């Protein structure tokens, strides 16, 4: 499997990272090299092997469905690059 | 009297208890050392005033007869741990100005035990790197030099600031985090002790996430005993991290009995990798002899999947990272770059400016292997191989109690070396990554010097939640190795 420039552009869009034309060239080369290297996993027979999603051999614990934190609006907004009237603000999304 | 900055945690604890010096005196000695260590670029944020304030509070507690387990011990904190009100960057431009409104569980436990904060330590951006050269705040220099060669060397990574600061005597000990070797490899490169505990031993809450199924916090210290002391404070169940293990924390220091008689030490034949320097092979064999002399019994074991661990890791870790790093969007914290008109333009411009090249590469690999049509071929495949890797260890531990390996396949290299080839850099972690994939505890102990005069480490791997045996074996190696070499530069 090899990536071309348009595939890299698509991945960059999915990842929401702007890349310039010259960066794309370089990424095609770098990402292909990494992908080619990881593809050696194809040598291993994994038919019937259960995918490992966690090393913790336990089911995730459940807790009471109660509020344990909250009322910290100003704390949460304190790090926002832009906030107004108790809300995060972003560029206009609706015309 | 030994200079205060030369003391181990165990020695400082004794000296403070006997009132040979105060926590304030200790803190002052270290804030001066932090100042002298500036050329290493080991710190992103220094907190000397906070250190003195905390030291005074410590002295007051001790005067009231209420001294705590780590009272007055000055520590550096990797800048991946959120610290309330103190800039926390993860070594990234994208977290510009981020002052967490909360404290990570691990650092809270350290402060609750009386430890003193010297500042936040430099690291590879988002813990992605093995040389501490990807930080937005610039590379960290190792305090070590090859004799007769003045080129600055890497301290290893990603906890490179932590390792450099501990080795240079600028902090008494430090926290690190380890996703694929980020505690053990820099500990090896800098001639200090570094421990990655079992996955789930320490809470991940409040640690900036890289790859959540692999990340684990641990201590970086000058001795195995110090690692045991510090781990005892850092570890423990935390309801805020659903993967933290609801197990009691043993007294790790008590495990250091020096008695390894009858213990079976596994030597994995697949760790004899091509191109590994003969001197590392020799040191490894010497390590086996030390343990044999102490009454342990070496046994050859096989970890067949070893060569597939790195490619597996470089699918799983970027996949998890691409998901974890989706939160950096210019809306809630950190950097925002407004270019163009739309919200998407803002996201894309912010993330283009905020992430460095290695982080972008990994996010894009992760995005690709999780994307529709490729998920099964890459991500699911890697998860299946991960299971086989974990099974290898499980089978091996039916024949042995611990596994002994080198920490890394080379000594430290110069800043700039290996940086043009990502895969050459990834190979640094060939011996450490499998341990993360299997979730096991691993300890790096300084064991000798290379022919170039640079530290080399040996790694002890244990069964899940058996840090006690790992530390006990580590201490026996430490004693036998009697590693007393010092870096070219020390700050205290």
């Amino acid at each position: 499997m090899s990536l071309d420039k348009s595939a890299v552009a698509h991945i960059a869009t999915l990842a929401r990272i702007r890349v310039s034309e010259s960066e794309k060239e370089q990424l095609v080369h770098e990402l292909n090299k990494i992908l080619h290297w990881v593809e050696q996993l194809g040598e291993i027979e994994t038919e019937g092997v259960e995918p490992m999603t966690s090393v913790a051999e336990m089911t995730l614990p459940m807790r009471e469905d109660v509020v344990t934190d909250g009322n910290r609006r100003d704390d949460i907004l304190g790090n926002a690059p832009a906030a107004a009237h108790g809300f995060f603000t972003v560029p206009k999304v609706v015309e | 009297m030994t200079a205060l900055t030369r003391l181990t945690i165990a020695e400082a604890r004794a000296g403070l208890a006997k009132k040979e010096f105060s926590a304030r005196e200790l803190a002052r000695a270290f804030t001066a050392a932090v100042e002298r260590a500036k050329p290493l670029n080991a710190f992103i944020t220094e907190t000397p005033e906070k250190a003195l304030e905390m030291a005074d509070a410590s002295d007051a507690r001790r005067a009231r007869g209420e001294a705590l387990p780590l009272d007055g011990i000055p520590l550096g904190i990797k800048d991946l741990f959120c610290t309330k009100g103190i800039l926390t960057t993860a070594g990234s431009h994208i977290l510009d100005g981020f002052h967490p409104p909360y404290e990570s569980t691990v650092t809270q436990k350290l402060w609750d035990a009386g430890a003193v904060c010297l500042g936040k330590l430099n690291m590879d951006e988002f813990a992605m790197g093995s040389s501490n050269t990807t930080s937005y705040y610039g590379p960290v220099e190792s305090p070590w030099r090859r004799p007769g060669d003045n080129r600055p060397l890497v301290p290893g990574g990603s906890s490179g600031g932590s390792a450099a600061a501990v080795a240079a005597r600028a902090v008494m000990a430090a926290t690190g985090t380890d996703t694929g070797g980020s505690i053990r490899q820099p500990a090896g490169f800098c001639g200090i002790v570094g421990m990655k505990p079992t996955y789930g031993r320490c809470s991940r809450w409040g640690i900036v996430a890289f790859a959540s199924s692999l990340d684990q916090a641990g201590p970086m210290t000058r001795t195995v005993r110090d690692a045991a002391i510090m781990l005892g404070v850092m570890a423990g169940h935390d309801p805020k991290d659903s993967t933290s293990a609801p197990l009691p924390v043993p007294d790790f220091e008590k495990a250091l009995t020096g008695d390894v008689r009858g213990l079976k030490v596994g030597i994995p034949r697949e760790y004899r990798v091509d191109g590994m320097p003969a001197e590392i092979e020799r040191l490894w064999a010497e390590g086996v002899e030390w343990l044999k002399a102490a009454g342990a019994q070496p046994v050859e074991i096989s970890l067949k999947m070893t060569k597939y661990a790195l490619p597996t890791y470089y699918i799983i870790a970027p996949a998890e990272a691409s998901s974890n790093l989706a939160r950096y969007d210019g809306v809630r914290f950190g950097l925002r770059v407004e270019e163009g008109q739309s919200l998407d333009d803002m996201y894309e411009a912010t993330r283009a400016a905020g992430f460095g090249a290695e982080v972008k590469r990994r996010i894009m690999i992760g995005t690709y292997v999780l994307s529709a049509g490729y998920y099964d071929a890459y991500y699911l495949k890697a998860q299946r191989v991960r299971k086989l890797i974990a099974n290898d260890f499980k089978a091996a531990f039916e024949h042995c109690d611990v596994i002994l390996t080198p920490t890394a396949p080379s000594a430290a290299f110069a800043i700039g070396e290996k940086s043009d080839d990502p895969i050459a850099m990834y190979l640094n972690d060939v011996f450490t990554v499998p341990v993360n994939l299997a979730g096991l505890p691993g300890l790096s102990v300084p064991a000798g010097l290379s022919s170039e005069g640079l530290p080399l480490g040996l790694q002890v791997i244990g069964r899940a939640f058996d840090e006690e045996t790992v530390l006990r074996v580590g201490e026996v190696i430490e004693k036998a190795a009697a590693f007393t070499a010092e870096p070219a530069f020390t700050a205290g």
Side-chain angles (χ1 to χ4, degrees):
Chain A
M1 200 61 219
S2 258
L3 300 174
D4 57 16
K5 249 171 88 172
S6 74
V8 166
H10 178 61
I11 297 167
T13 304
L14 289 175
R16 298 293 187 274
I17 297 172
R18 181 170 296 162
V19 291
S20 67
E21 278 305 307
S22 64
E23 283 175 307
K24 264 180 228 164
E25 294 282 358
Q26 200 180 340
L27 281 164
V28 166
H29 170 73
E30 288 172 356
L31 299 187
N32 275 325
K33 200 169 165 191
I34 295 169
L35 287 171
H36 179 72
W37 175 67
V38 300
E39 278 164 13
Q40 59 177 296
L41 296 189
E43 298 165 11
I44 312 165
E45 177 55 60
T46 51
E47 189 72 34
V49 178
E50 192 64 28
M52 184 166 167
T53 51
S54 168
V55 294
E57 283 174 1
M58 58 182 198
T59 45
L60 287 183
M62 307 286 268
R63 67 165 177 85
E64 285 293 301
D65 186 12
V66 291
V67 176
T68 57
D69 199 354
N71 291 325
R72 300 178 54 178
R73 188 191 72 184
D74 293 344
D75 271 358
I76 290 161
L77 290 173
N79 276 295
H85 314 296
F87 293 95
F88 295 111
T89 63
V90 295
K92 199 168 169 183
V93 285
V94 182
E95 284 308 317
Chain B
M1 194 176 71
T2 319
L4 294 178
T5 49
R6 302 246 147 192
L7 300 175
T8 65
I9 293 178
E11 289 163 350
R13 186 177 61 181
L16 285 162
K18 284 189 247 157
K19 308 230 160 63
E20 287 168 8
F21 46 85
S22 66
R24 188 181 180 84
E25 285 168 313
L26 195 57
R28 286 199 80 97
F30 273 101
T31 54
V34 167
E35 195 62 32
R36 282 193 293 274
K38 269 191 195 296
L40 299 179
N41 197 31
F43 281 83
I44 292 176
T45 304
E46 293 154 8
T47 57
E49 282 157 27
K50 189 173 177 66
L52 292 180
E53 213 176 280
M54 292 173 95
D56 287 342
S58 169
D59 284 330
R61 268 193 303 274
R62 196 174 296 277
R64 290 196 303 269
E66 296 165 5
L68 298 162
L70 277 184
D71 231 322
I73 303 300
L75 302 177
I77 302 298
K78 186 179 186 181
D79 209 16
L80 201 63
F81 292 81
C82 286
T83 41
K84 190 172 180 178
I86 300 173
L87 180 69
T88 298
T89 69
S92 183
H93 187 26
I94 210 157
L95 271 167
D96 269 11
F98 177 56
H99 289 73
Y102 52 82
E103 187 77 28
S104 85
T105 297
V106 163
T107 47
Q108 188 62 55
K109 279 172 176 283
L110 291 168
W111 314 143
D112 286 349
V116 166
C117 178
L118 289 168
K120 303 295 292 291
L121 293 158
N122 204 344
M123 53 178 286
D124 276 303
E125 185 179 5
F126 283 107
M128 297 179 191
S130 310
S131 60
N132 215 127
T133 52
T134 72
S135 170
Y136 176 68
Y137 296 88
V140 173
E141 273 186 25
S142 171
W144 290 83
R145 287 275 198 281
R146 296 174 181 129
D149 180 348
N150 217 25
R151 272 179 305 168
L153 303 175
V154 302
S158 70
S159 310
S162 302
V166 173
R169 276 76 179 163
V171 299
M172 191 166 272
T175 62
T177 63
D178 190 315
T179 304
S182 282
I183 286 176
R184 291 159 288 158
Q185 184 256 17
F189 277 15
C190 287
I192 65 163
V193 173
M195 178 159 215
K196 182 202 94 74
T198 310
Y199 183 83
R201 184 58 98 180
C202 295
S203 170
R204 291 181 297 109
W205 195 81
I207 300 173
V208 175
F210 162 14
S212 304
S213 78
L214 301 160
D215 298 343
Q216 185 61 203
M220 300 177 76
T221 58
R222 288 189 219 133
T223 65
V224 173
R225 179 167 300 273
D226 283 5
I229 294 170
M230 205 169 148
L231 179 62
V233 173
M234 294 168 72
H237 178 243
D238 177 12
K240 289 179 189 157
D241 173 3
S242 57
T243 62
S244 94
L247 294 173
V249 179
D251 184 339
F252 295 117
E253 223 186 328
K254 273 216 178 103
L256 307 178
T257 60
D259 185 2
V260 295
R261 284 174 299 170
L263 220 60
K264 291 202 171 101
V265 182
I267 313 300
R269 67 175 77 97
E270 292 81 1
Y271 275 52
R272 292 195 182 92
V273 296
D274 290 344
M276 185 160 77
E279 59 188 10
I280 292 183
E281 287 254 17
R282 271 202 302 277
L283 184 71
W284 189 14
E286 211 174 343
V288 175
E289 289 307 315
W290 292 332
L291 291 176
K292 238 166 101 176
Q297 184 191 339
V299 289
E300 184 148 316
I301 57 162
S302 172
L303 298 168
K304 293 186 298 297
M305 290 291 146
T306 299
K307 78 174 265 215
Y308 299 108
L310 274 174
T312 302
Y313 177 85
Y314 277 96
I315 293 173
I316 289 173
E320 293 185 16
S322 74
S323 165
N324 274 325
L325 272 59
R327 76 191 66 184
Y328 303 102
D329 57 5
V331 176
R332 288 158 297 165
F333 32 67
L335 183 74
R336 173 186 289 202
V337 177
E338 307 241 22
E339 261 171 34
Q341 299 290 312
S342 71
L343 182 58
D344 270 328
D345 287 336
M346 189 276 281
Y347 291 153
E348 291 188 349
T350 298
R351 290 164 65 82
F355 293 133
E358 179 62 21
V359 174
K360 283 181 197 170
R361 251 194 311 268
R362 296 206 198 180
I363 290 176
M364 291 181 68
I365 289 282
T367 303
Y368 179 67
V369 300
L370 290 176
S371 64
Y374 303 100
Y375 183 91
D376 287 11
Y378 291 104
Y379 188 61
L380 212 56
K381 179 82 187 180
Q383 284 188 316
R384 292 187 207 276
V385 180
R386 184 176 182 182
K387 184 78 188 174
L388 296 177
I389 291 166
N391 287 348
D392 263 5
F393 278 104
K394 217 176 204 167
F397 279 121
E398 281 170 22
H399 305 286
C400 63
D401 302 296
V402 290
I403 296 171
L404 184 73
T405 79
T407 302
S410 77
F413 43 90
I415 292 178
E417 259 177 79
K418 303 194 188 191
S419 58
D420 49 349
D421 182 359
I423 292 172
M425 189 65 86
Y426 298 169
L427 292 175
N428 267 294
D429 297 328
V430 61
F431 300 144
T432 47
V433 149
V435 180
N436 298 76
L437 289 169
L440 304 174
L443 172 75
S444 178
V445 182
L449 292 178
S450 72
S451 56
E452 294 179 317
L454 297 178
L456 297 169
L458 287 175
Q459 174 179 232
V460 184
I461 305 167
R463 295 189 179 98
F465 299 106
D466 189 15
E467 285 87 355
E468 289 164 281
T469 306
V470 171
L471 287 161
R472 184 184 318 144
V473 172
E475 202 211 20
V476 168
I477 293 173
E478 178 182 54
K479 280 217 173 98
F483 184 90
T484 52
E486 285 200 14
F489 171 88
T490 54

